[in-house]
Amino acid sequence: DTGVSQNPRHKITKRGQNVTFRCDPISEHNRLYWYRQTLGQGPEFLTYFQNEAQLEKSRLLSDRFSAERPKGSFSTLEIQRTEQGDSAMYLCASSPDIAGNTIYFGEGSWLTVV
Amino acid sequence: GNSVTQMEGPVTLSEEAFLTINCTYTATGYPSLFWYVQYPGEGLQLLLKATKADDKGSNKGFEATYRKETTSFHLEKGSVQVSDSAVYFCAYTGTASKLTFGTGTRLQVTL
């Protein structure tokens, strides 16, 4: 088991460009989560998937953000027309479909918008 | 609304000192409670958890007890090491096991 894998680990982009992050969860984990963390703050929930179905989205997830998990395995998070305020670490996590079970995090993808 | 409140940092301790990081939560029902640790430039690692009242989670010398009556889950360690320097996050799970985090407490341990 290699854990939750995210890439790229670091991305610097110019304002207005689109970026995409990929997450490979732990195999056989039905649930996949995306969080955003800014400096000095705790992670904030963005969205989560149960298999391929996106079941909840936070109000933080503006129209410029879209997440997919087409085959219920890996997931992508795309940010269109990036803004400087999008600069943050984007964390992916996964867990089995068992209430109260541990959620395992990847090492995150750092986004810097210049 | 639902939330987690942690003591503000940074907490600066000498090696071998006793550590307490306070955490209280506001949530309905009986959430599971967690402490995660984040080392510089890394993602979150689960440190310990407790799933019901009066449970004690423990790992690597750290402990926390789920106190339903005070809605608290304070983190303790009897003797900290320099390698424990990190940011510690208290969290609970609500619907769909979605985690809600506190703002984190930075711990700095010096020789």
Side-chain angles (χ1 to χ4, degrees):
Chain A
D1 189 349
T2 57
V4 179
S5 176
Q6 292 187 246
N7 65 82
R9 291 291 314 280
H10 302 274
K11 179 73 176 178
I12 300 174
T13 190
K14 292 183 178 179
R15 189 173 51 188
Q17 297 295 304
N18 299 345
V19 296
T20 299
F21 299 111
R22 176 180 169 124
C23 171
D24 288 90
I26 295 170
S27 62
E28 301 183 353
H29 277 192
N30 302 98
R31 292 183 178 171
L32 185 146
Y33 306 81
W34 284 100
Y35 286 79
R36 181 173 68 186
Q37 185 179 19
T38 54
L39 284 175
Q41 299 297 316
E44 297 172 296
F45 171 79
L46 292 179
T47 187
Y48 100 93
F49 293 83
Q50 175 85 17
N51 299 312
E52 66 275 9
Q54 188 174 19
L55 297 186
E56 187 174 346
K57 294 194 293 185
S58 163
R59 285 173 293 178
L60 293 174
L61 213 66
S62 76
D63 291 345
R64 297 184 295 104
F65 287 69
S66 62
E68 295 183 344
R69 194 184 184 195
K71 298 180 181 180
S73 56
F74 74 91
S75 175
T76 57
L77 176 68
E78 181 183 19
I79 309 173
Q80 295 181 327
R81 305 181 303 283
T82 52
E83 301 173 357
Q84 286 188 324
D86 297 331
S87 296
M89 182 160 69
Y90 292 85
L91 290 161
C92 179
S94 70
S95 74
D97 184 15
I98 302 172
N101 210 348
T102 300
I103 297 175
Y104 296 90
F105 284 82
E107 295 194 337
S109 293
W110 281 101
L111 173 65
T112 302
V113 181
V114 298
Chain B
N2 297 337
S3 66
V4 177
T5 302
Q6 292 182 233
M7 63 188 290
E8 289 190 12
V11 174
T12 303
L13 295 173
S14 298
E15 201 170 41
E16 299 183 359
F18 184 85
L19 168 71
T20 299
I21 300 178
N22 290 338
C23 170
T24 57
Y25 66 93
T26 304
T28 57
Y30 297 90
S32 294
L33 302 176
F34 301 81
W35 278 99
Y36 281 84
V37 59
Q38 187 172 39
Y39 298 99
E42 298 185 9
L44 297 167
Q45 299 176 25
L46 176 69
L47 182 59
L48 53 83
K49 71 174 186 179
T51 58
K52 61 183 186 293
D54 299 325
D55 268 3
K56 178 184 285 187
S58 62
N59 186 28
K60 299 181 181 178
F62 290 89
E63 294 183 339
T65 301
Y66 188 160
R67 301 291 188 197
K68 181 68 175 174
E69 65 277 12
T70 54
T71 62
S72 66
F73 194 53
H74 304 322
L75 182 68
E76 296 181 336
K77 186 174 186 181
S79 176
V80 293
Q81 306 298 312
V82 172
S83 58
D84 294 326
S85 298
V87 181
Y88 292 82
F89 292 94
C90 183
Y92 74 85
T93 53
T95 57
S97 296
K98 184 178 69 178
L99 283 165
T100 297
F101 287 89
T103 55
T105 303
R106 181 174 299 280
L107 170 65
Q108 295 175 331
V109 181
T110 59
L111 290 172

